[in-house]
Amino acid sequence: MTVPTTEPDAVPVGDEPPDPGERHRLTAVTGLAALSLDAMASVAYGPEAIVLVLAAAGARGLGFTLPVTLAIAGLLAVLVASYRQVIAAFPDGGGSYAVARTHLGDRAGLVAAASLVLDYVLNVAVAVTAGVAALTSAFPALYGDRLWLCLVVLALITGVNLRGIVESARAFIVPTVVFVGSIFVVIVVGLFRSHPVSTATAAGHASVLADNASGMGALLLLKAFASGCAALTGVEAIANAVPSFRRPRVRRAQRAEAALGAVLALMLIGLSVLIGRFHLQPVEGVTVLAQLADASLGHNGAFYVMQFATMILLALSANTSFGGLPVLLKLLARDNYAPHVFALKADRQVHRHGVLALAVVSAALLVVSGGDTNTLVPLFAIGVFVGFTIAQVGMVRHWRSERAGGRRGKALLNGFGAVLTAAATVVVTVSKFEEGAWLIVVALPLIVVAFEAVHRAYGRIGERLGLGRIPGHPHRARSLVIVPVSSLSRLTAEALSAAASLGDEVRAVTVCCPDPEDRAQAHALARAWAQWDPGVPLVALACERRSLGRSLAAHVRETAASLPGTRVTVLIPETERLWQRLLQNQRGAVVAHAVRRETDAVICRLRFRLL
């Protein structure tokens, strides 16, 4: 398979008219707003994850916060550089799935895709509940309604994304700017302070610093590194959604990826510097970010603006999944690993079925967890780091297969990143196994099996349909149209007229039951039919068990057997309006179901408009 190294959609001006759909795609700025919220919001819990692990070693352990953060920032740089190359090599999107499928085989690609699906779904659940948790912390009276609040937030985000990814990006630009600006204000102001201006937020809360501090060791540092890597979730989202960008797509996506890496690294490092500068200690019930805002800005209006912006961005960070997962499902559908409906686009470049599927699964997670996804949080980073590792290994193979110069250095960079992300995956999985990480061990292979089952089903369908082969010439067969009737009306006349234009022979069929009332009705229909004389024979079928559908299906089978080479069509007349059909006796639906299930006849349902 030849991997494109240049952007295929860079069409010279004047060669073809502008695509009107381009205005529904992303620029570098709107792409940053739509696809980086997950990564941006991770600064609210990434540094805290590091501090909570290092707190086991006491105050001495907290001194390693900055070195661990710098190591994470280094890994971030490797990932950003790698995904910029992924964007250039795979402009159709797909990220780690596209890389793995091309260079590591279909199975590795499916594992990468399954890990991304898990991460995207968990991201929505965790992001929405985290945002609502921040709200209920400020307003405790709402705590009992947190599930409904989660579902409302999810519905709002889904509604915005159904209008198009550009509309969602525009809606989220302001919250993103406010949050990022607030973080940098905290960092800059804090660097000019020699001591915390306020500690009111942490006052009265118990410290989680270990009394019997354990010694610092490589294992603890590795665990802190792995926990802090949760701040890197979302880095891959831009590479997964390259087709959502405007032309030139590759260049815009690469700019957005680089901007994301730079902003995220500066925020992580800046906050870690402040943690050491203020000698911050983690406490129960108060986030590290809240303590830093309090220490830097004071317990005033600016502090509450920071908290409100954090709450909003945490809730909206679910939008990253709505931007990335539908594109991934489109690629899986294109490769016959997901239902083809996920490849369909609406008029605003929206993969509507992917958006709705993500919303439904996320809502189910919220309902099952009761709006509290603490059991799912340990799984949050695992899925995406599996994808990171597979993508890095795939890019090593990519550079080894390239003929361009400089591939050795790039391969070494990706190989180093693969080692780091693999180590982080193992450490997080082992350390969080009993807290719920075992679900990944179960869920990942199940999703891969589901993908392969869909692929086999499409293979069988394609074989039976002869896809990829030139079919034989069409030929005209003799046609018999059977019209079920129960009474005379304009609907009956319309059905027979349509049947006469469709087939060589038309046959009206009615079912007679043994009850006296039914026999009287059948005799009345026969007399009226003879008087009407439409030129179509009326066949009366005896039915002993009042099984309308089975009786007609049996007649269709017998007719088809007695007339080999004849195509049998069953034409079922019914009214057009749904409410009118609901008022009818539903015989048409019963007949259609039975004939479809028990015969090979063609079903034709004629909708008649009552003016």
Side-chain angles (χ1 to χ4, degrees), residues 8 113 133 313 398 524:
L313 201 74
H398 171 73

Side-chain angles (χ1 to χ4, degrees), residues 100-114:
R101 189 163 185 266
T102 302
H103 296 293
L104 301 178
D106 290 344
R107 181 62 62 84
L110 294 180
V111 172

Side-chain angles (χ1 to χ4, degrees), residues 390-428:
I390 293 175
Q392 297 284 332
V393 174
M395 289 305 292
V396 171
R397 294 285 298 272
H398 171 73
W399 294 123
R400 290 180 62 185
S401 65
E402 283 290 306
R403 297 181 180 179
R407 61 183 182 275
R408 183 175 182 181
K410 293 176 180 178
L412 288 174
L413 182 66
N414 291 135
F416 179 64
V419 171
L420 292 180
T421 53
T425 303
V426 172
V427 172
V428 173

Side-chain angles (χ1 to χ4, degrees), residues 170-182:
R170 290 170 179 165
F172 301 148
I173 283 179
V174 173
T176 304
V177 171
V178 171
F179 175 78
V180 174
S182 300

